[in-house]
Amino acid sequence: MMRITTLVIKLIIIVNITFAIAKPTNIRCCHGSTIINSKLYIGGGIVGPADKSNYSSDFFSLDLTVPFSTSSPSDVPYEEHSNLLIKCSGHALVYAVNKGGGMIYLFSGFRGEPKGSAIYGYSLKLNAWSEVTPGGAIMPAESTTKVFGVTDSNLNTIYILVNSTMYIYNAFENFLYISTNLPPYQIYYYATVMLNTSEIAFIGGGNGTNRVNNNHNNIPMNQILLYNTKISSWYIKNAKGTNGMIPSPRQGHSASIAPDGRIFVYGGFDGNGSAIESVGSHPVFTVLEYVNGEFVWSTPKLFGQLFQFRIYHTSHVFGNYLFIAFGRNLTHSRLNTIDTIDISNRDNYIVVTDFVPPGYVPPISSSSSSSPPSPPSASNKNNKNITIASVFGSVGALIIVIGCAYFFIRRYRYQNVIPTPGNDRT
Ligand SMILES: *[C@@H]1O[C@H](CO)[C@@H](O)[C@H](O)[C@H]1NC(C)=O
Ligand SMILES: *[C@@H]1O[C@H](CO)[C@@H](O)[C@H](O)[C@H]1NC(C)=O
Ligand SMILES: *[C@@H]1O[C@H](CO)[C@@H](O)[C@H](O)[C@H]1NC(C)=O
Ligand SMILES: *[C@@H]1O[C@H](CO)[C@@H](O)[C@H](O)[C@H]1NC(C)=O
Ligand SMILES: *[C@@H]1O[C@H](CO)[C@@H](O)[C@H](O)[C@H]1NC(C)=O
Ligand SMILES: *[C@@H]1O[C@H](CO)[C@@H](O)[C@H](O)[C@H]1NC(C)=O
């Protein structure tokens, strides 16, 4: 009886936690994302229809060790986590190692009210966010453009450009520095990657030095702005095009680097937010390489591409795949789609809709209580079941839990029929 009581108490806690987390609509742009422990974590961004902008505090993940299909976006098996402590967009999510193990750090961006602090950290162990207050410099809570965080190869130091100031956050020491050197011009809506030479490449974007209304001043793509983390200095390098072909300038695109050095640049537009139909940059998918100190663009074919335009998305390389998440379409609608591009063949890039992790072995049977998570086709549609199952870890407990959960969910729902102030139910 005692055990059952304990179980019920635990259950109440779990059910309450699960229901306290709003189901993410997933349709969003301008979010932050990062991959750690084979999970793609996504947080914040702008949600709602094109004419209404709401900043979100959702935080959820996609397990990249189980197969899933991207063809039905609402069935992608996302797992919800504790919400961000602020509503934001254009912020950066980046993982770094600190004395306590590691955290997903959230930096800056645009904020809803209250603005909160510049830096927050998510503990994967505790499934909890907390405010991070480093020693040293002070970073403004809000930035003037979307920000990106890149780390050194030890994952100890995060570099982040906020309002044209290079902030250097040492996660291990919890200390924030400011680079004394400023970039040669201000940049906005660029994309960035850390190169294996300890240089950070800033690709594309607008030149904000003389920014006036509707003057986008896009930076030509044959000009790559670099920050050298070893000597804290900025300089520009030219990029050549294979057969002289240089991609068109762009804003709102993404860049991600593979271990072999290929930098995938995806999407982008001319930067004119007033146009009813945005003008996309070409090609949508393009590859930059940095070999022997020289940048070279190439424009390989991408087969099976579903969308010819995407901005304000994020992208990540994971194994032989490039994941492109959410964003905005040509007519300003936010997206809930994930594109998975097979990058294993450098001459043939292919969009795949059924993602199967490399080396994935399907579970043998569901009768074993220690079997790995089942593929999405089975029963992963219900995130609540996954959460509870992982807590109790046995099929027997799962049955009891589902039974009790049903009882408590009913109770919980009935208790919450009474409208709370500020909760518009119409
Ligand atoms: C956006 O926020 C407003 C005000 O907080 C709220 O009334 C509205 O329901 C929200 N819309 C969406 C799509 O979340
Ligand atoms: C950004 O930097 C400029 C130049 O230093 C300064 O005038 C402006 O107030 C800063 N903006 C914010 C939001 O910090
Ligand atoms: C950025 O704009 C400034 C001021 O107009 C100009 O001097 C500079 O050459 C521009 N730089 C680039 C890379 O476009
Ligand atoms: C860095 O990447 C380039 C490809 O971009 C590769 O040729 C080079 O060997 C790499 N260097 C190191 C030290 O890994
Ligand atoms: C931006 O788009 C608007 C609406 O189509 C147009 O009037 C304006 O000239 C464009 N601005 C630039 C700099 O292209
Ligand atoms: C953008 O998305 C919206 C909503 O899904 C859709 O109605 C619209 O047709 C899309 N625009 C384009 C150009 O595909």
Side-chain angles (χ1 to χ4, degrees):
M1 195 55 216
M2 215 30 224
R3 277 194 184 175
I4 292 171
T5 315
T6 318
L7 178 71
V8 167
I9 288 165
K10 278 189 190 169
L11 185 69
I12 293 167
I13 294 165
I14 290 160
V15 169
N16 274 324
I17 289 170
T18 308
F19 281 83
I21 300 165
K23 174 94 187 120
T25 61
N26 299 331
I27 300 173
R28 69 191 60 229
C29 73
C30 321
H31 51 287
S33 65
T34 188
I35 293 181
I36 182 65
N37 295 346
S38 304
K39 276 187 178 180
L40 171 63
Y41 285 87
I42 296 152
I46 303 180
V47 295
D51 55 343
K52 289 197 178 71
S53 291
N54 275 17
Y55 291 176
S56 155
S57 58
D58 294 335
F59 186 56
F60 53 97
S61 69
L62 180 58
D63 189 345
L64 303 176
T65 64
V66 296
F68 57 86
S69 168
T70 55
S71 51
S72 173
S74 56
D75 291 335
V76 175
Y78 296 111
E79 188 189 339
E80 293 163 42
H81 304 290
S82 292
N83 279 9
L84 311 178
L85 299 180
I86 35 118
K87 293 182 179 226
C88 57
S89 82
H91 53 290
L93 290 183
V94 52
Y95 178 82
V97 174
N98 58 20
K99 280 185 181 147
M103 268 191 162
I104 296 174
Y105 289 92
L106 182 155
F107 291 91
S108 207
F110 305 105
R111 302 287 179 83
E113 293 295 341
K115 306 278 182 211
S117 8
I119 312 175
Y120 292 90
Y122 174 78
S123 157
L124 285 86
K125 253 182 267 167
L126 305 174
N127 180 29
W129 285 95
S130 57
E131 205 174 303
V132 175
T133 43
I138 293 167
M139 186 187 279
E142 279 198 299
S143 46
T144 48
T145 183
K146 172 165 177 54
V147 293
F148 296 89
V150 293
T151 54
D152 64 345
S153 54
N154 300 325
L155 303 177
N156 279 155
T157 306
I158 299 170
Y159 296 86
I160 183 156
L161 190 68
V162 177
N163 194 20
S164 292
T165 299
M166 180 59 85
Y167 289 87
I168 301 158
Y169 176 61
N170 184 325
F172 209 74
E173 303 295 340
N174 190 30
F175 202 87
L176 189 64
Y177 302 86
I178 287 181
S179 169
T180 47
N181 296 313
L182 296 174
Y185 46 90
Q186 293 183 13
I187 43 171
Y188 60 101
Y189 292 109
Y190 52 90
T192 188
V193 292
M194 175 68 91
L195 304 168
N196 67 1
T197 52
S198 299
E199 291 164 295
I200 303 169
F202 293 82
I203 303 162
N207 176 354
T209 299
N210 247 339
R211 194 175 177 184
V212 269
N213 285 345
N214 281 332
N215 183 357
H216 310 302
N217 279 338
N218 287 334
I219 294 162
M221 298 286 269
N222 63 355
Q223 228 176 271
I224 309 294
L225 178 63
L226 294 162
Y227 176 80
N228 188 318
T229 62
K230 295 271 185 257
I231 55 173
S232 301
S233 70
W234 292 91
Y235 40 88
I236 295 163
K237 278 201 175 181
N238 286 328
K240 291 188 300 192
T242 308
N243 307 322
M245 162 78 184
I246 304 287
S248 66
R250 59 195 69 201
Q251 294 183 24
H253 52 298
S254 65
S256 41
I257 187 163
D260 68 0
R262 280 176 296 168
I263 302 163
F264 302 105
V265 172
Y266 196 91
F269 75 131
D270 67 355
N272 189 352
S274 322
I276 292 160
E277 206 166 277
S278 300
V279 176
S281 303
H282 293 282
V284 172
F285 175 71
T286 174
V287 179
L288 180 65
E289 281 177 278
Y290 190 42
V291 181
N292 302 326
E294 283 208 349
F295 284 103
V296 182
W297 285 107
S298 59
T299 55
K301 280 221 158 60
L302 174 59
F303 296 95
Q305 190 179 19
L306 297 168
F307 306 99
Q308 298 300 322
F309 180 95
R310 199 192 286 248
I311 56 172
Y312 302 148
H313 54 284
T314 54
S315 72
H316 298 277
V317 171
F318 179 75
N320 279 328
Y321 293 92
L322 174 67
F323 289 99
I324 314 277
F326 310 124
R328 211 173 86 170
N329 78 6
L330 199 64
T331 44
H332 311 271
S333 281
R334 286 146 202 146
L335 304 169
N336 61 354
T337 49
I338 299 255
D339 275 357
T340 306
I341 300 172
D342 183 338
I343 57 167
S344 57
N345 181 336
R346 54 180 296 128
D347 301 313
N348 276 308
Y349 293 88
I350 305 161
V351 173
V352 294
T353 50
D354 291 305
F355 170 72
V356 179
Y360 176 75
V361 180
I364 305 140
S365 85
S366 56
S367 60
S368 159
S369 61
S370 60
S371 62
S374 49
S377 53
S379 63
N380 278 5
K381 284 184 184 166
N382 195 333
N383 288 341
K384 284 163 232 149
N385 290 359
I386 300 168
T387 313
I388 293 164
S390 64
V391 170
F392 287 86
S394 97
V395 173
L398 182 62
I399 292 161
I400 300 168
V401 165
I402 290 170
C404 296
Y406 179 66
F407 174 74
F408 279 100
I409 290 161
R410 281 184 54 146
R411 273 194 63 166
Y412 185 87
R413 285 215 178 126
Y414 288 133
Q415 283 169 5
N416 282 277
V417 171
I418 308 142
T420 46
N423 189 353
D424 185 359
R425 284 181 172 271
T426 53

